[in-house]
Amino acid sequence: MIASIIEMPNGQAAATAVFGNEGASGMLVSLGPVPSPTTAVVRLAGNAWQISPMPFNAALQRSSSIGKMVQTFTRSLVAQLQHIAACNALHPVEQRMALWLLRLRDQTGDDAILLTQEAMAELLGVRRPTVTLVAAKLKDAGAIRSTRRGVVEVDRRRLEATTCQCYEAISSRLDRIVPPSKPPSIFSAR
Ligand SMILES: [Zn+2]
């Protein structure tokens, strides 16, 4: 799973989107050679393929399947950016932490999420002491079962009860764009 992180000139950072097998980092290069303001940070390890911009754009010109894949991913990325922007402006950090934990949990299907407090602070755009405080609140609510070094074990149902409406909004919108029954792996494009 890759997080798209935007960093401010003063060093503060926050995540703008996360994606896994359904997408690819740097795919917006298809829109033109504009430097990206975000950094792609691998948050959950896995296998990935890499292609340089020039051969990718050449393949894109030749393949309508790749073109559709890029369109689908761009739509899902824009949907995430819109919801995350609203969420960051409107909802408290406790609900936002629950949202990110649910998004990470959905990527792996595992209640034990490999995530350090520093990484969570970066996703949320807050300082680490805030993460400690908010994680303790989620633990009291039973939404986080345990935190040990670099692993957060969550209770999905309680996290859903804790998070804001953005989780359901993002999930249902992304499911409409990329139906879960037919995950269009970019790697299987013909
Ligand atoms: Zn929200």
Side-chain angles (χ1 to χ4, degrees), residues 91-157:
H91 297 143
V93 66
E94 191 175 332
Q95 291 187 322
R96 296 200 293 118
M97 186 186 287
L99 170 68
W100 283 118
L101 287 172
L102 282 164
R103 299 274 298 123
L104 296 178
R105 198 242 168 247
D106 286 350
Q107 288 287 347
T108 60
D110 190 344
D111 286 344
I113 301 166
L114 292 170
L115 190 72
T116 62
Q117 288 209 337
E118 287 87 353
M120 178 50 90
E122 190 178 62
L123 287 172
L124 286 166
V126 299
R127 297 187 322 143
R128 192 177 151 178
T130 305
V131 171
T132 308
L133 200 70
V134 176
K137 280 189 187 175
L138 290 179
K139 209 168 167 181
D140 287 346
I144 290 179
R145 286 199 211 107
S146 70
T147 49
R148 50 188 199 277
R149 189 174 286 270
V151 180
V152 183
E153 196 181 338
V154 301
D155 182 310
R156 187 201 162 102
R157 195 176 52 79

Side-chain angles (χ1 to χ4, degrees), residues 26-36 53-54 57:
M27 208 191 276
L28 295 185
V29 73
S30 61
L31 299 177
V34 180
S36 171
M54 276 182 66
N57 278 328

Side-chain angles (χ1 to χ4, degrees), residues 87 91 164 166:
C87 189
H91 297 143
C164 46
C166 301

Side-chain angles (χ1 to χ4, degrees), residues 47-51 187:
N47 296 318
W49 289 2
Q50 185 175 16
I51 184 169
F187 305 128

